[in-house]
């Protein structure tokens, strides 16, 4: 029997799929995108130049360490609920959603190899692009971590990196591809939509990160739909997690004078 993506959906089915996409995005990355758009408008209309503004990631939520830890873990856990929802909805067609988007451990060595390769391909040029954005004034100063120096700081940052990898790659690539394919979208239309979505929820960091993440979105979504990617999202999750681990934890290993030159706090 043909799968839903191989048949033309009825008008009612298209409306239902469209509503489902908006609901999933409204609970996750779409919501972040709208807030980021409002944020960049506020930044651009502020009296302070964009180059002199800053954005903090992984901020502390309480002066009391164990209460802060509790808030951090709850934030990570609830941020993953849309991932569970997306997988649950994809599984409604009677097959494993984890297998459908390649989130399983069927090819650990291959997935890890591609993950490291993609991380290197995006991360190294990305750092240079960030420095360029700071130099021309289209990127704010990014503070990678504003958490205190507690015993749990690094583990929480590692979990936050994994959370970002799962949320963004499962929803913006795996889930969105499956559902837009159900609507009859071609590969190019999906790549454009996925890439613009990825860039939009990074707008709070400035115009530079928006452009950089659109490029990252093009690379990731193109690879996912290529003969090398084979619709496996696991390598993208690995790559994204590695990038965020370096950003959240590894930045501390960079010499202070280098961080100052790059505008990294």
């Amino acid at each position: 029997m043909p799968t839903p993506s191989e048949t033309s959906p009825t008008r009612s089915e298209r409306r239902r799929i469209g509503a489902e996409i908006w609901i999933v995005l409204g609970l996750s990355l779409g919501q972040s995108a709208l807030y980021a758009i409002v944020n960049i408008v506020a930044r651009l209309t502020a009296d302070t130049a964009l180059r002199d503004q800053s954005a903090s990631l992984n901020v502390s939520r309480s002066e009391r360490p164990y209460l802060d830890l509790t808030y951090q873990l709850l934030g990570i856990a609830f941020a993953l609920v849309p991932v569970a929802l997306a997988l649950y909805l994809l599984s409604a067609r009677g097959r494993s959603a984890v297998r459908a988007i390649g989130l399983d451990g069927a090819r650990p060595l291959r997935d890890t190899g591609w993950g490291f390769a993609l991380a290197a391909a995006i991360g190294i040029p990305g750092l240079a692009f960030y420095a360029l954005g700071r130099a021309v004034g289209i990127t704010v100063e990014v503070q990678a971590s504003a958490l205190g120096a507690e015993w749990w700081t690094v583990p929480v940052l590692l979990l936050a990196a994994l959370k970002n990898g799962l949320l963004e790659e499962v929803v913006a690539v795996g889930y969105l591809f499956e559902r837009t394919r159900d609507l009859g979208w071609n590969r190019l239309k999906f790549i454009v939509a996925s890439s613009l979505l990825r860039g939009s929820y990074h707008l709070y960091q400035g115009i530079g990160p928006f452009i950089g993440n659109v490029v990252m979105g093009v690379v990731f979504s193109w690879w996912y739909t290529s003969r090398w990617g084979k619709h496996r999202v696991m390598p993208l999750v690995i790559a994204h997690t590695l990038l965020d681990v370096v950003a959240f934890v590894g930045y501390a290993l960079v010499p202070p004078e280098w961080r100052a030159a790059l505008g990294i706090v």
Side-chain angles (χ1 to χ4, degrees), residues 65-212:
Y66 283 96
L67 187 57
D68 192 10
L69 172 60
T70 302
Y71 280 132
Q72 299 296 332
L73 294 178
L74 285 174
I76 292 170
F78 281 113
L80 290 175
V81 172
V83 175
L85 175 62
L87 293 174
Y88 175 77
L89 292 171
L90 289 180
S91 68
R93 59 181 52 170
R95 59 174 176 155
S96 170
V98 171
R99 292 181 181 177
I101 66 173
L103 191 61
D104 55 13
R107 303 176 182 178
L109 295 180
R110 182 181 182 277
D111 289 347
T112 301
W114 272 113
F116 274 85
L118 289 167
I122 294 296
I124 296 174
L127 185 59
F129 190 79
Y130 173 80
L132 177 63
R134 291 288 296 148
V136 300
I138 60 173
T139 300
V140 305
E141 183 179 70
V142 177
Q143 184 176 11
S145 175
L147 295 178
E150 305 294 338
W151 65 265
W152 48 261
T153 298
V154 171
V156 163
L157 291 175
L158 295 178
L159 287 175
L162 177 60
K163 176 262 296 182
N164 288 347
L166 286 169
L167 177 61
E168 296 187 37
E169 306 313 325
V170 170
V171 174
V173 179
Y175 169 80
L176 193 61
F177 174 77
E178 291 293 323
R179 280 302 185 244
T180 55
R181 184 171 63 167
D182 290 339
L183 292 175
W185 287 23
N186 59 31
R187 183 188 185 192
L188 178 60
K189 193 173 181 180
F190 158 70
I191 290 175
V192 171
S194 177
S195 303
L196 289 177
L197 173 63
R198 187 186 298 267
S200 64
Y201 54 77
H202 286 93
L203 270 170
Y204 70 96
Q205 297 177 10
I207 305 301
F210 166 78
I211 298 173

